[in-house]
Amino acid sequence: MSLLLLVLAMALGPTPSSAAGNDWWTPTARPTPDSQINVTGEPFTGANAQGEVRGFVDAHDHLFANEAFGGRLICGKTFSEAGIADALKDCPEHYPDGSLAVFDFITKGGDGRHDPVGWPTFKDWPAHDSLTHQQNYYAWVERAWRGGQRVLVNDLVTNGVICSVYFFKDRSCDEMTSIRLQAKLTYDLQAYVDKMYGGTGKGWFRIVTDSAQAREVIKQGKLAVILGVETSEPFGCKQVLDIAQCSKADIDAGLDELYGLGVRSMFLCHKFDNALCGVRFDEGALGTAINVGQFLSTGTFWKTEKCTGPQHDNPINGASASEAEGKLPAGVQVPSYASDAQCNTRGLTDLGEYAVRGMMKRKMMLEIDHMSVKAVGRALDIFEAESYPGVISSHSWMDLNWTERVYGLGGFVAQYMHGSEGFVAEANRTKALRDKYDVGYGYGTDMNGVGGWPAPRGADAANKVTYPFRSVDGGSVIDRQTTGERTWDLNTDGAAHYGLVPDWIEDIRLVGGQDVVNDLFRGAESYLDTWGAAEKHQAGVNLAKGSPATASSAEWNPFTSYASSRAVDGTRDTRWASDWSDDQWLRIDLGSTHLVGRVTLDWERAYGKSYRIELSTDGANWQTAWSTTSGDGGLDTALFTGTPARYVRIHGLERGTDWGYSLYEVGVHSS
């Protein structure tokens, strides 16, 4: 029957919608047969009385993950010119009963057996716990848009090692090749939707490349789609035996290419340590399997150390992953790890810092989820030193103790698509911070991301979703979603595919109350605030660069100068270093009086534990503008009320090491 329908669809092509009329949101022609949307009513448009856009944000989705990992890990397509029967069918090796659905039983347990038939019956997939089947069919995304979502970040994703070790593939494992293909297909999907609405630019699926464009799209009531990248070795920046396999030129070329494709946010590392940064570990058997992949990719396993602050990476608990461990060379075993050492030794490398600054230069947003706490800490230090707001946590993979630092910079936070009870609990925990910084909230569905999604709460659950229900804005009515012969109900099916996002939001409202949903409805405005602020950011003038500098002392070395001028020469390749005693200072003459409100200190390993920032207009009378007794090195940013000063003095009172004080660079800024 499905084959007959497919033949008819191909012969007849798109057909006029019987409900089209003058409704701008209804296509003039839609492929037939196709999925139902099961939403009626006009999508909201415009802005509120304050000029703010409204709507939900999915900050982390993978529309085209089926094209990643060699093309056979995620089965089914987001769309197909040949119709839904071609798009929503299983991988060939899953027939007749799923016996060879290897990744399915690795991730889900059991034997992987399932009914492989998709359209039109959908007996076993998509499902909330089936990690290898398409969840982002375009009509399901359309339903989410009709239900109030206005921003979707499509993260182009792949992993070369997973591709290389997986049994089935139909293409190369080169990561950038897959990223380019997924970007192209996103634009192809835009054209596919446009065709249903009468031509270029008329559809609801709109790829945007700047925040102003996104605002206009949302005001029109359409979905703003932003391209991101989540891959393990961007630009080929892997490391083998701790040796980088890329250069600064590779990073520049890679960032330029991605920017040209329309990418505006990205991760620098994902799952495996690379030449840019260390990762935040995965836990349990999956963590062990990924650690094996780390070894196969880099020649080294993860290395841990005791954490120096409240933040920590996920624990590695030694759980077995026999299938993955069988890939290791004879005699090689996954190491054991101390329970009190939960932090990755690897942070942000010099190349990683170059990439971060390259993203800032291009006004791109950095995704800090998946980075080790050591790497995140340094990245946030850099952003704070430059007052750069473009930082995103899109799906609960950063240590949550970073939340206020992200908000303080002007960044955006979204929570993973957990079940309603868990989602509400975490949303309530951070509610006070959102109120303090006056920001909205987001979610990261991570659909097609092999993560698992909300299970059903049950037909008899308290406060269950009652169909039909109204959208948050009140303008649309949402009923159970039907595709082919299958109708899904969130209460009994869980979040099986993207079309059930509005149902999940209604479940959140019923479980947690209207306040949580209100914060989510402000998500679009807050996300665009972060993006727009990053676009407008201008690098501050460093008043200290090239200025005359003197110091209480300078460490003597017959081969290298550690003179005071080395801390203001504009490069991290040189440094000032003092004698090895506590009471030392570095003084900078700005040449004339300026309003000074921010000083940045880029410490070498020999840092100041206790020190003061002192200001003077005449070089004789000093006032303390800022001080600390708990310095821990790295990149420090001292913020204080703008004060007139010609002279700035960093006065070290207590060293953090047995060496002296040593600074790569000092920055002095007006604000």
Side-chain angles (χ1 to χ4, degrees):
M1 180 64 178
S2 59
L3 179 59
L4 175 60
L5 290 172
L6 174 60
V7 171
L8 288 172
M10 294 177 68
L12 298 175
T15 60
S17 169
S18 60
N22 296 318
D23 297 341
W24 65 266
W25 59 92
T26 304
T28 56
R30 182 187 288 279
T32 184
D34 202 5
S35 172
Q36 297 181 37
I37 307 302
N38 306 106
V39 179
T40 57
E42 181 176 1
F44 58 87
T45 59
N48 65 14
Q50 292 73 44
E52 299 171 330
V53 296
R54 299 162 294 163
F56 304 121
V57 174
D58 182 355
H60 193 103
D61 186 32
H62 303 293
L63 287 178
F64 293 99
N66 56 292
E67 304 292 349
F69 317 112
R72 298 273 277 275
L73 194 70
I74 308 294
C75 307
K77 303 175 185 177
T78 306
F79 76 104
S80 171
E81 295 286 353
I84 191 170
D86 179 64
L88 296 181
K89 63 182 180 183
D90 215 337
C91 292
E93 57 273 8
H94 287 200
Y95 290 87
D97 62 357
S99 298
L100 293 180
V102 180
F103 197 70
D104 214 43
F105 65 73
I106 288 176
T107 56
K108 186 178 177 180
D111 58 10
R113 292 179 186 269
H114 63 275
D115 181 353
V117 177
W119 173 269
T121 56
F122 299 107
K123 179 182 177 183
D124 286 340
W125 67 269
H128 73 91
D129 56 353
S130 174
L131 310 187
T132 63
H133 294 96
Q134 181 61 249
Q135 296 175 295
N136 281 320
Y137 184 60
Y138 91 93
W140 299 337
V141 178
E142 181 178 351
R143 176 179 159 92
W145 158 63
R146 291 285 301 275
Q149 186 170 305
R150 292 296 179 268
V151 173
L152 186 155
V153 180
N154 177 30
D155 281 316
L156 316 176
V157 64
T158 193
N159 183 293
V161 174
I162 291 176
C163 172
S164 67
V165 301
Y166 190 55
F167 303 95
F168 306 105
K169 61 183 72 70
D170 56 21
R171 64 198 63 182
S172 87
C173 294
D174 180 71
E175 292 192 356
M176 289 304 292
T177 298
S178 180
I179 295 303
R180 294 181 190 108
L181 173 61
Q182 292 176 53
K184 175 186 179 298
L185 288 172
T186 310
Y187 286 95
D188 288 349
L189 175 56
Q190 178 176 256
Y192 180 78
V193 174
D194 278 352
K195 187 165 58 177
M196 298 180 204
Y197 286 79
T200 302
K202 295 185 177 181
W204 54 269
F205 185 95
R206 312 300 327 145
I207 300 169
V208 295
T209 54
D210 62 60
S211 63
Q213 188 181 17
R215 286 187 183 279
E216 288 307 309
V217 164
I218 296 171
K219 287 179 182 178
Q220 294 168 22
K222 299 180 180 182
L223 179 68
V225 179
I226 301 154
L227 296 184
V229 166
E230 182 184 40
T231 192
S232 292
E233 296 163 0
F235 335 124
C237 279
K238 68 184 299 178
Q239 54 96 6
V240 177
L241 299 176
D242 293 321
I243 298 174
Q245 306 297 299
C246 67
S247 65
K248 291 180 177 179
D250 294 325
I251 293 169
D252 281 329
L255 286 173
D256 285 343
E257 179 183 8
L258 291 178
Y259 193 89
L261 291 173
V263 172
R264 295 297 181 266
S265 73
M266 69 175 294
F267 296 78
L268 290 182
C269 51
H270 178 240
K271 299 304 183 184
F272 305 148
D273 295 342
N274 61 25
L276 306 176
C277 51
V279 293
R280 192 163 194 239
F281 313 127
D282 281 78
E283 299 182 65
L286 180 60
T288 300
I290 292 174
N291 202 5
V292 169
Q294 153 103 5
F295 179 86
L296 296 176
S297 175
T298 69
T300 59
F301 291 105
W302 291 326
K303 298 175 184 176
T304 66
E305 62 186 7
K306 291 184 178 181
C307 304
T308 58
Q311 295 82 11
H312 60 81
D313 295 317
N314 291 320
I316 312 173
N317 59 14
S320 175
S322 56
E323 288 281 343
E325 291 174 273
K327 300 286 185 181
L328 291 171
V332 176
Q333 294 181 325
V334 177
S336 59
Y337 296 93
S339 60
D340 63 347
Q342 291 188 14
C343 280
N344 194 335
T345 60
R346 197 175 185 88
L348 196 65
T349 67
D350 288 343
L351 284 174
E353 291 204 22
Y354 186 82
V356 167
R357 295 181 187 279
M359 291 181 67
M360 291 169 57
K361 179 181 177 181
R362 293 164 179 84
K363 315 300 186 185
M364 298 172 73
M365 293 178 286
L366 174 68
E367 295 264 12
I368 58 174
D369 288 1
H370 289 296
M371 295 172 76
S372 68
V373 295
K374 198 171 185 177
V376 172
R378 180 66 180 183
L380 294 180
D381 285 347
I382 292 171
F383 281 2
E384 287 170 347
E386 300 291 341
S387 297
Y388 187 75
V391 56
I392 304 287
S393 174
S394 61
H395 65 331
S396 301
W397 258 90
M398 70 168 180
D399 186 296
L400 297 177
N401 287 304
W402 294 124
T403 302
E404 185 159 16
R405 282 190 75 181
V406 172
Y407 283 147
L409 277 164
F412 184 79
V413 174
Q415 185 187 161
Y416 189 85
M417 189 185 186
H418 294 119
S420 55
E421 296 99 330
F423 190 94
V424 167
E426 173 57 20
N428 288 339
R429 189 189 71 84
T430 53
K431 172 66 174 171
L433 284 177
R434 289 194 299 281
D435 289 345
K436 176 180 177 180
Y437 290 95
D438 192 25
V439 293
Y441 204 31
Y443 50 82
T445 63
D446 202 15
M447 291 280 183
N448 286 357
V450 197
W453 297 274
R457 292 203 295 126
D460 299 324
N463 299 323
K464 71 176 184 178
V465 174
T466 301
Y467 295 92
F469 59 88
R470 286 202 168 271
S471 58
V472 174
D473 65 291
S476 297
V477 176
I478 302 169
D479 210 340
R480 290 178 179 84
Q481 198 283 317
T482 296
T483 304
E485 300 170 11
R486 177 77 184 271
T487 297
W488 280 272
D489 183 319
L490 186 82
N491 302 302
T492 53
D493 296 311
H497 62 68
Y498 208 92
L500 297 173
V501 167
D503 312 51
W504 170 72
I505 291 172
E506 173 68 0
D507 201 40
I508 287 173
R509 186 187 70 83
L510 294 169
V511 168
Q514 190 65 38
D515 282 351
V516 179
V517 177
N518 288 345
D519 279 0
L520 289 171
F521 205 54
R522 294 185 61 202
E525 176 64 29
S526 287
Y527 187 95
L528 297 186
D529 279 347
T530 294
W531 191 7
E535 291 169 326
K536 294 182 180 74
H537 179 264
Q538 297 293 326
V541 175
N542 180 5
L543 302 172
K545 185 178 179 180
S547 295
T550 55
S552 55
S553 64
E555 180 183 339
W556 182 84
N557 186 295
F559 305 105
T560 302
S561 170
Y562 294 124
S564 53
S565 61
R566 296 301 183 98
V568 291
D569 59 3
T571 175
R572 293 189 77 249
D573 295 331
T574 62
R575 59 188 175 94
W576 164 68
S578 76
D579 286 345
W580 294 11
S581 59
D582 281 335
D583 191 8
Q584 303 287 341
W585 51 261
L586 174 75
R587 189 179 78 164
I588 302 165
D589 180 356
L590 304 180
S592 60
T593 299
H594 296 266
L595 194 68
V596 175
R598 175 164 56 99
V599 174
T600 61
L601 305 175
D602 193 354
W603 295 101
E604 194 250 355
R605 286 181 298 169
Y607 65 92
K609 180 180 178 182
S610 176
Y611 64 92
R612 297 192 297 252
I613 306 295
E614 300 170 336
L615 305 178
S616 174
T617 56
D618 59 8
N621 299 293
W622 297 90
Q623 60 175 309
T624 298
W626 187 92
S627 65
T628 182
T629 58
S630 56
D632 58 0
L635 182 56
D636 287 347
T637 298
L639 292 171
F640 44 87
T641 302
T643 304
R646 172 175 173 170
Y647 301 92
V648 177
R649 185 166 67 184
I650 295 91
H651 193 159
L653 304 175
E654 181 183 355
R655 294 166 292 155
T657 68
D658 290 335
W659 302 301
Y661 302 93
S662 185
L663 286 162
Y664 288 118
E665 280 296 302
V666 175
V668 176
H669 304 269
S670 291
S671 61

